[in-house]
């Protein structure tokens, strides 16, 4: 019996030891999972550690990499063997092995040793694969059509094809594709890949993306065929406003390179060249703003398959176009990420009115059976008017209409190729027979970023607000961060992106998305340092305060979210050029009083005769941002080790601050613009000191108390709630949050909104509308309140001294009548959880800290009343505790914690 008990004890100890062994998961290279076709010669590798052992951090890591999985797992023929590196770094570790070559696949894995002396097993292998590294030329030729086109009109989409034969067994095949315009690619009669709107939107003259497709399974020994259809897209389609076509060129073009590696090691290329052929097809018109006209009678079954009769097709011509701007993508591609079923379908005199139940971005897939030549028209709208009819006025010149002409051969399925709409409602006219829910679905598209966060609370209206914030993000992160997805605009407005970036990073893993867009910003930035109002810059206008500052603020936001100094380094020249532009504009008195600015865009307005106004002087805003951005660049310079620049920009920020105080602040602490936005920015940007700051805080609080509602626009709204919290008036921040009348965040929710509106009163209580010239119902800027929901209500904050959530600040601040709230956030180290519930004077917090992170957790109540996982503080396994003023600051390592406390009675 003793022997059996001893064996059981040893088995139990072994099991417990194994259970506490760390596990390495979530491997990424340059933020991407198993990226195919990168052009970074030294990708940065990250991983997540999971462990049931509390208070765990990484003490050392070991990485190995090889060209095939068998060698990797046996530890032979390695291209990199780091050896054990004593380091806690598990994020963005640069590849340090043998120099990479183009078209090379590298498999890698990692194992770690933790601070408890336990070593993980090797992780499951991950990989990256290079494409065209620097110095590797494209042998393919740009090709285009030979027929005449009218550059003033949307032309039929060209279809291009090439047949070829393979002479052996294929070991691997990669297809590299780019174009001027947009493309969809097919091989042997089937669509290749699941990416949409390729090659994406960049500063085309400087940076043009290409995609890489693994087509090993699609090619075959013998006859094969490639097929590509092109669309106008952002390249030459309608973009911006009147006469907005042909922003980058008048001719579509294709660049294609298929690389075949045979079993015997031979390499063969199939390039785009003069041997390809071209034809018009069923896509007669396709435009992002106006929609698509598709005539199925002109369809060409099998056009991308071998053996298709292309005798009537035209020759193509080789085009002398540059290839030196070609780049591999570094952001997630646009994909179909969701499918929505109709909420209702109602027959009306105008056709079938379809309610998708959600303001979405994408397009409708429709099935129909009818006579040849019958035309079905789909028009799209975000809202209905007071009579329940489709409201089109806010689309301005955008037709947002898809038309399908039936071929009459049984049930047909249609979805557009090179257009998208922002809509909740669809009017389907000309449909043969009854339209039923099984014949129609909404395909939701956006950049396929990994979800990062969730937020819920005890108030269903606020939960709907969070839903609206998330769907506003989805609808406007379509390869670039756009302002809106429905009207004749859909541009990468920098101001909207700047104010929303922190909220975006809480909700989505957006670092790669922003990194790509910021490089386009740097590419389009003028020599003077001026940054465009929109990026990519098709307007040729810029330099607006709060808008162009996106070039400084967003890299800083991504750095705080990820700890990535690389994005600071990549954007540093662009940042300093922007500061230089502001210096020249401001001159020797450091006051920026000239230039074109949008100011506190769409701030609250009133028809009251005695209303004091919410207008904030643009020169005040411009000077405030001048000081703020200069101070941020000083901090960036310090992080990058540039001490001279650090001192210079810190002094510049100080001088601008002094000029701001002299020009815009009275001795009594009143600002010349006595508005919520003015006080918010002055306090948030640290432009006031001591007693002046205290008085300004009082003015801000007094203004909110007097009006009982928000009066801010695009620049003030993202910061006002955080500022009220910081000055000790969280009660007023909750007052603004809970308000359901106009103006407020919840007013649109009460009106049935499913996304964030551009205006506080886009639709009025009587269901009439604001000015149709500027009235989007999917415009994420005011959704910037999301940062406050995560950071203050739920309590997940970033420690700027240890960015990327290496050290986490957990400080929930209940209020506003809420009885519970909970947020999760997937950091680079793993999932963070902060939740709380109230029951009388009892508060229970639910906290989870990922491995390789630590946290400071602010808990209300006396230390004697606090229990962690059922234990008194003195008996719990925490790293430390400090008590002050009826609150405790707990230092926690990794693990899950149930924290119970009693709140002070009032």
């Amino acid at each position: 019996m003793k022997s059996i008990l001893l064996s059981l004890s040893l088995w139990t100890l072994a099991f417990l030891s194994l259970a506490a062994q760390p596990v390495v998961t979530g491997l990424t290279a340059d933020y991407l999972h198993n990226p195919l076709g990168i052009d970074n010669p030294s990708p940065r590798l990250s991983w997540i550690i999971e462990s049931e052992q509390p208070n765990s951090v990484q003490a050392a890591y070991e990485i190995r990499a090889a060209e095939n999985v068998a060698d990797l797992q046996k530890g032979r023929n390695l291209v990199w063997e780091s050896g054990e590196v004593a380091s806690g770094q598990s994020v963005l570790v640069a590849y340090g092995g043998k120099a990479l070559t183009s078209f090379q696949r590298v498999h890698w894995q990692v194992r770690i040793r933790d601070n408890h002396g336990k070593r993980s097993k090797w992780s499951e292998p991950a990989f990256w694969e290079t494409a065209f590294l620097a110095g590797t030329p494209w042998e393919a030729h740009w090709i285009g059509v030979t027929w005449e086109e009218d550059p003033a009109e949307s032309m039929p989409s060209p279809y291009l094809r090439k047949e070829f034969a393979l002479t052996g067994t294929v070991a691997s095949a990669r297809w590299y594709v780019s174009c001027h315009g947009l493309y969809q690619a097919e091989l042997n009669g089937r669509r290749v890949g699941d990416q949409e709107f390729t090659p994406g939107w960049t500063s085309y003259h400087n940076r043009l993306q290409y995609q890489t497709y693994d087509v090993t399974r699609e090619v075959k020994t013998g006859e094969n065929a490639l097929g590509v259809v092109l669309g106008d897209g952002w390249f030459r389609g309608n973009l911006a406003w009147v006469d907005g076509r042909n922003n980058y060129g008048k001719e579509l073009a294709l660049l294609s390179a298929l690389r075949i590696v045979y079993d015997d090691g031979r390499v063969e290329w199939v390039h785009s060249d003069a041997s390809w052929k071209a034809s018009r097809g069923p896509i007669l018109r396709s435009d992002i703003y106006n929609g698509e006209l598709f005539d199925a009678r002109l369809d060409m079954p099998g056009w991308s398959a071998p053996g298709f009769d292309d005798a009537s097709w035209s020759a193509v011509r080789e085009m002398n176009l540059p290839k030196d701007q070609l780049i591999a993508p570094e952001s997630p591609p646009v994909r179909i990420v969701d499918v929505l079923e109709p909420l209702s379908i109602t027959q009306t005199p105008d056709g079938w009115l379809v309610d998708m139940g959600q303001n979405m971005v994408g397009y409708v897939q429709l099935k129909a059976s009818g006579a040849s030549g019958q035309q079905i028209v789909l028009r799209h709208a975000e809202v209905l008017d007071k009579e329940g009819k489709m409201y089109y006025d806010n689309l301005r010149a955008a037709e947002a209409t898809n038309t399908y002409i039936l071929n009459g051969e049984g049930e047909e399925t249609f979805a557009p190729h090179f257009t998208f709409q922002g809509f909740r409602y669809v009017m389907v006219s000309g449909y043969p027979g009854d339209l039923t829910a099984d014949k129609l679905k909404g395909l939701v598209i956006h950049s396929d970023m990994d979800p990062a966060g969730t937020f819920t609370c005890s108030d269903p209206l606020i939960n709907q607000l969070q839903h609206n914030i998330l769907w506003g993000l989805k609808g406007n992160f379509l390869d670039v961060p756009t302002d809106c997805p429905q009207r004749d605009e859909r541009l990468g407005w920098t101001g909207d992106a700047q104010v929303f970036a922190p909220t975006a990073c809480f909700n989505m893993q957006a670092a790669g998305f922003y990194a790509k867009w910021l490089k386009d910003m740097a590419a389009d930035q003028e020599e003077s340092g001026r940054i465009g109002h929109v990026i990519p810059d098709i307007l040729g206008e810029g330099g607006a305060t709060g808008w162009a500052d996106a070039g400084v603020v967003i890299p800083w936001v991504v750095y705080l979210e990820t700890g990535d100094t690389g994005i600071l380094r990549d954007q540093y020249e662009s940042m300093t050029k922007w500061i230089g532009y502001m210096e020249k504009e401001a001159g020797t008195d450091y006051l920026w009083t000239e230039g074109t600015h949008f100011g506190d865009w769409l701030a609250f307005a009133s028809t009251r005769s005695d209303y004091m106004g919410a207008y904030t002087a643009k020169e005040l805003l411009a000077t405030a941002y001048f000081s703020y951005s200069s101070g941020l660049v000083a901090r960036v310079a310090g992080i990058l080790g540039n001490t001279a620049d650090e001192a210079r920009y810190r002094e510049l920020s100080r001088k601008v601050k002094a000029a701001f105080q002299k020009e815009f602040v009275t001795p009594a602490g009143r600002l010349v613009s006595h508005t919520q936005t003015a006080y918010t920015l002055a306090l948030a940007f640290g432009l006031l000191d001591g007693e002046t700051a205290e008085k300004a805080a009082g003015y801000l609080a007094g203004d909110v108390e007097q009006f009982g509602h928000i009066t801010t626009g695009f620049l003030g709204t993202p910061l006002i709630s955080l500022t009220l919290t910081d000055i000790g008036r969280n009660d007023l921040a909750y007052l603004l949050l809970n308000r359901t009348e106009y103006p407020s965040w919840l007013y649109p929710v009460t009106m049935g909104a499913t996304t964030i509106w551009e205006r506080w009163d886009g639709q009025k209580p009587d269901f009439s509308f604001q000015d149709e010239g500027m009235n989007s119902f999917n415009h994420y800027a005011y959704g910037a309140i999301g940062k406050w929901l995560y950071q203050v209500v739920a309590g997940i904050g970033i420690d700027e001294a240890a960015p990327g959530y290496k050290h986490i600040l957990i400080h929930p601040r209940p209020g506003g009548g809420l009885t519970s709230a909970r947020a999760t956030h997937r950091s680079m180290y793993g999932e963070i959880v902060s939740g709380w519930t109230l029951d009388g004077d009892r508060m229970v917090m639910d906290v989870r800290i990922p491995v390789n992170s630590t946290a400071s957790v602010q808990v209300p109540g006396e230390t004697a009343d606090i229990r962690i996982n059922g234990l008194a503080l003195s008996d719990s396994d925490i790293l430390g505790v400090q008590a002050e003023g009826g609150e405790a600051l707990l230092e926690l390592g990794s693990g899950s914690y149930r924290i119970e406390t009693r709140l002070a009675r009032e």
Side-chain angles (χ1 to χ4, degrees):
M1 179 62 74
K2 288 183 179 180
S3 176
I4 293 173
L5 290 174
L6 179 60
S7 296
L8 286 172
S9 298
L10 290 173
W11 182 88
T12 301
L13 288 172
F15 175 78
L16 291 174
S17 176
L18 182 63
Q21 184 180 26
V23 176
V24 178
T25 64
L27 278 61
T28 59
D30 289 340
Y31 297 109
L32 300 172
H33 303 282
N34 295 332
L36 182 70
I38 66 173
D39 57 10
N40 181 2
S42 183
R44 298 174 302 160
L45 311 179
S46 304
W47 56 91
I48 288 173
I49 306 163
E50 297 176 354
S51 175
E52 296 179 10
Q53 177 77 47
N55 300 324
S56 291
V57 295
Q58 175 183 288
Y61 68 82
E62 185 176 358
I63 301 173
R64 64 185 184 186
E67 291 190 292
N68 62 70
V69 174
D71 283 347
L72 178 71
Q73 293 179 331
K74 292 182 178 179
R76 67 189 183 196
N77 301 323
L78 299 177
V79 297
W80 186 28
E81 189 172 17
S82 70
E84 185 172 89
V85 179
S87 170
Q89 184 179 3
S90 61
V91 170
L92 302 171
V93 176
Y95 169 75
K98 296 177 182 178
L100 300 177
T101 59
S102 295
F103 321 119
Q104 179 182 12
R105 175 167 289 203
V106 176
H107 300 266
W108 67 286
Q109 55 188 171
V110 60
R111 65 181 178 186
I112 66 103
R113 177 169 50 83
D114 67 17
N115 55 316
H116 306 293
K118 291 187 169 61
R119 189 185 302 275
S120 74
K121 294 180 179 179
W122 285 105
S123 68
E124 289 297 314
F127 71 83
W128 74 83
E129 185 174 300
T130 59
F132 289 84
L133 296 185
T136 300
W138 283 74
E139 301 294 341
H141 295 275
W142 284 103
I143 58 173
V145 301
T146 54
W147 57 77
E148 249 347 271
E149 292 188 300
D150 182 356
E153 300 291 339
S154 180
M155 292 286 98
S157 287
Y159 286 66
L160 302 102
R161 71 184 308 272
K162 162 75 176 180
E163 291 200 24
F164 61 98
L166 299 181
T167 58
T169 303
V170 175
S172 70
R174 301 289 184 270
W175 193 6
Y176 307 97
V177 189
S178 187
C179 78
H180 286 180
L182 297 175
Y183 74 83
Q184 286 188 5
E186 298 187 11
L187 194 160
N188 291 338
R190 301 186 65 178
R191 174 86 181 269
V192 170
D194 60 357
Q195 301 185 30
E196 303 288 324
F197 290 86
T198 48
W201 189 11
T202 51
S203 173
Y204 288 131
H205 298 313
N206 300 293
R207 291 160 36 85
L208 178 61
Q209 295 180 143
Y210 62 88
Q211 281 72 40
T212 302
Y213 303 98
D214 182 350
V215 292
T216 307
R217 293 183 178 180
E218 283 75 22
V219 297
K220 58 187 179 181
T221 302
E223 296 301 315
N224 295 265
L226 299 173
V228 180
V229 57
L230 302 179
D232 291 352
W234 299 287
F235 187 84
R236 76 172 188 184
N238 285 291
L239 203 56
W241 301 286
V242 179
D243 298 324
R245 288 187 59 80
N246 308 308
N247 281 277
Y248 297 98
K250 296 180 179 180
E251 296 180 307
L252 303 182
L254 170 68
L255 186 69
S256 166
L258 175 65
R259 183 175 187 265
I260 303 293
V261 180
Y262 292 105
D263 273 354
D264 59 9
R266 289 181 296 129
V267 177
E268 182 179 348
W269 288 88
V270 179
H271 290 127
S272 51
D273 56 23
S275 67
W276 284 56
K277 302 188 78 173
S279 174
R280 298 176 181 89
I283 304 175
L284 300 182
R285 184 176 67 246
S286 191
D287 183 86
I288 287 176
Y289 289 170
N290 294 329
E292 181 166 305
L293 170 59
F294 188 96
D295 190 343
R297 297 171 299 179
L298 304 176
D299 208 357
M300 302 173 291
W303 70 274
S304 63
F308 176 78
D309 182 5
D310 60 8
S312 63
W313 285 42
S314 303
V316 301
R317 61 190 174 94
E318 295 181 359
M319 305 170 72
N320 184 25
L321 297 172
K323 303 172 191 171
D324 56 355
Q325 83 278 41
L326 289 162
I327 57 167
E330 58 183 301
S331 65
V334 175
R335 290 192 175 99
I336 297 170
V337 294
D338 203 354
V339 178
L340 300 185
E341 303 295 332
L343 181 65
S344 66
I345 300 177
T346 307
Q347 191 168 21
T348 75
D350 296 324
W352 296 94
L353 174 60
V354 182
D355 180 1
M356 300 305 301
Q358 170 64 51
N359 197 4
M360 57 166 281
V361 173
Y363 40 82
V364 164
Q365 183 186 85
L366 183 70
K367 294 181 179 180
S369 302
S372 176
Q374 183 153 358
Q375 183 171 287
I376 305 173
V377 177
L378 295 87
R379 296 194 68 187
H380 303 78
E382 294 183 287
V383 292
L384 303 179
D385 65 18
K386 61 176 66 177
E387 277 111 34
K389 294 182 178 180
M390 300 271 282
Y391 179 70
Y392 300 118
D393 291 354
N394 71 320
L395 302 180
R396 302 193 305 213
E399 294 175 7
T401 300
N402 296 327
T403 303
Y404 183 70
I405 301 174
L406 297 172
N407 64 24
E409 299 177 2
E411 186 171 72
E412 306 170 42
T413 301
F414 166 69
H417 299 73
F418 302 119
T419 188
F420 64 88
Q421 286 84 39
F423 65 99
R424 173 173 173 170
Y425 300 95
V426 188
M427 180 61 70
V428 183
S429 59
Y431 188 84
D434 291 339
L435 180 60
T436 53
D438 60 315
K439 302 299 183 184
L440 181 147
K441 55 188 176 183
L443 305 183
V444 179
I445 64 171
H446 63 75
S447 291
D448 193 14
M449 301 167 288
D450 287 340
T454 64
F455 172 88
T456 58
C457 69
S458 56
D459 188 328
L461 291 180
I462 297 172
N463 291 339
Q464 182 65 40
L465 172 63
Q466 164 63 14
H467 170 99
N468 295 0
I469 292 169
L470 183 59
W471 275 84
L473 186 163
K474 291 177 179 180
N476 285 291
F477 275 50
L478 203 156
D479 210 55
V480 304
T482 60
D483 59 325
C484 61
Q486 73 295 100
R487 67 188 181 214
D488 57 341
E489 196 159 356
R490 314 186 199 189
L491 306 177
W493 282 94
T494 49
D496 307 53
Q498 184 263 126
V499 300
F500 189 70
T503 295
C505 287
F506 268 117
N507 284 287
M508 291 285 187
Q509 294 183 2
F513 175 90
Y514 280 128
K516 171 256 184 185
W517 185 67
L518 288 166
K519 287 178 181 175
D520 288 309
M521 181 181 291
D524 277 345
Q525 188 173 11
E526 297 176 5
E527 276 305 308
S528 66
R530 190 174 80 163
I531 292 173
H533 297 329
V534 300
I535 299 295
D537 185 8
I538 63 157
L539 300 181
E541 302 169 355
T545 192
W547 270 247
D549 292 279
V552 172
V553 174
I554 295 180
W556 181 251
V557 168
V558 174
Y559 164 72
L560 293 180
E561 173 66 26
T562 63
D564 185 357
T565 57
I567 197 167
L568 302 181
R569 193 171 292 108
D570 289 344
Q571 297 301 127
Y572 186 69
E573 181 181 358
S574 173
M575 293 181 189
T576 56
K577 284 172 66 176
W578 169 241
I579 302 301
Y581 177 85
M582 288 193 286
E583 282 188 278
K584 295 191 205 77
E585 288 289 299
T588 56
D589 64 1
Y590 300 103
L591 296 171
W592 192 3
T593 58
E594 302 295 330
T596 301
H597 303 291
F598 298 101
D600 193 29
W601 189 249
L602 297 182
F604 171 72
S606 174
T607 57
R608 276 178 46 188
S609 301
D610 62 344
Y611 173 60
M612 293 180 293
Y615 174 77
T616 304
K618 292 179 179 179
E619 56 267 30
L620 181 152
L621 296 171
T623 305
Y625 264 99
F626 183 16
S627 178
Y628 176 61
S629 288
S630 300
L632 283 185
V633 172
R635 298 169 73 177
V636 171
I639 291 164
L640 298 180
N642 191 334
T643 55
D645 275 6
E646 181 184 14
R648 177 173 119 65
Y649 290 117
R650 184 184 296 115
E651 178 62 12
L652 174 62
S653 179
R654 186 197 64 77
K655 288 179 177 178
V656 179
K657 174 180 174 179
F660 179 94
Q661 293 176 344
K662 182 179 179 181
E663 183 74 9
F664 301 115
V665 186
T666 72
R670 181 186 288 266
L671 297 180
V672 296
S673 293
H674 191 67
T675 65
Q676 291 177 11
T677 289
Y679 289 110
T680 292
L681 263 64
L683 291 164
F685 291 173
L687 297 173
L688 306 175
D689 299 310
E691 186 178 350
T692 303
E694 290 179 11
K695 290 180 178 178
Y699 286 129
L700 173 61
D703 190 276
V704 174
E705 288 175 327
Q706 176 186 354
F707 284 104
H709 63 72
I710 198 166
T711 66
T712 54
F714 275 28
L715 296 184
T717 298
L719 297 171
I720 187 170
S721 299
L722 292 164
T723 303
L724 288 169
T725 299
D726 287 343
I727 65 173
R729 295 306 307 270
N730 212 35
D731 59 320
L732 296 178
Y734 273 107
L735 179 149
L736 296 181
L737 175 66
N738 284 331
R739 180 180 170 88
T740 56
E741 300 84 11
Y742 161 77
S744 69
W745 284 284
L746 296 185
Y747 166 70
V749 173
T750 67
M751 294 291 291
T754 60
T755 45
I756 298 296
W757 293 356
E758 181 177 20
R759 291 179 178 269
W760 293 117
D761 60 342
Q763 192 167 24
K764 300 177 185 299
D766 65 356
F767 290 92
S768 62
F769 298 99
Q770 254 283 3
D771 175 25
E772 68 272 9
M774 195 72 62
N775 196 22
S776 162
F777 291 94
N778 192 352
H779 213 99
Y780 56 57
Y782 287 146
I785 182 64
K787 178 183 179 182
W788 184 80
L789 295 178
Y790 275 93
Q791 183 174 311
V792 176
V793 179
I796 300 177
I798 296 173
D799 183 351
E800 295 189 4
Y805 299 97
K806 182 65 175 172
H807 182 252
I808 307 158
L809 304 178
I810 303 290
H811 186 193
R813 279 148 282 194
L818 296 180
T819 57
S820 67
R822 186 178 192 270
T824 68
H825 183 64
R826 181 83 169 178
S827 75
M828 296 288 286
Y829 297 98
E831 187 175 64
I832 303 163
V833 175
S834 177
W836 54 266
T837 58
L838 297 179
D839 184 6
D841 65 347
R842 185 170 174 267
M843 179 177 180
V844 178
M845 297 172 61
D846 171 27
V847 174
R848 186 181 310 151
I849 309 302
V851 174
N852 215 20
S853 293
T854 58
S856 297
V857 181
Q858 197 89 14
V859 181
E862 300 295 336
T863 55
D865 293 329
I866 297 174
R867 296 289 181 271
I868 297 185
N869 295 336
L871 300 175
L873 284 179
S874 57
D875 298 325
S876 64
D877 189 17
I878 65 173
L879 303 179
V881 59
Q882 298 179 42
E884 183 176 348
E887 289 198 329
L889 183 65
L890 312 182
E891 297 299 327
L892 304 181
S894 65
S896 296
Y897 303 90
R898 178 184 171 89
I899 304 171
E900 301 175 76
T901 186
R902 290 195 178 277
L903 304 178
R905 295 181 181 274
E906 298 194 9

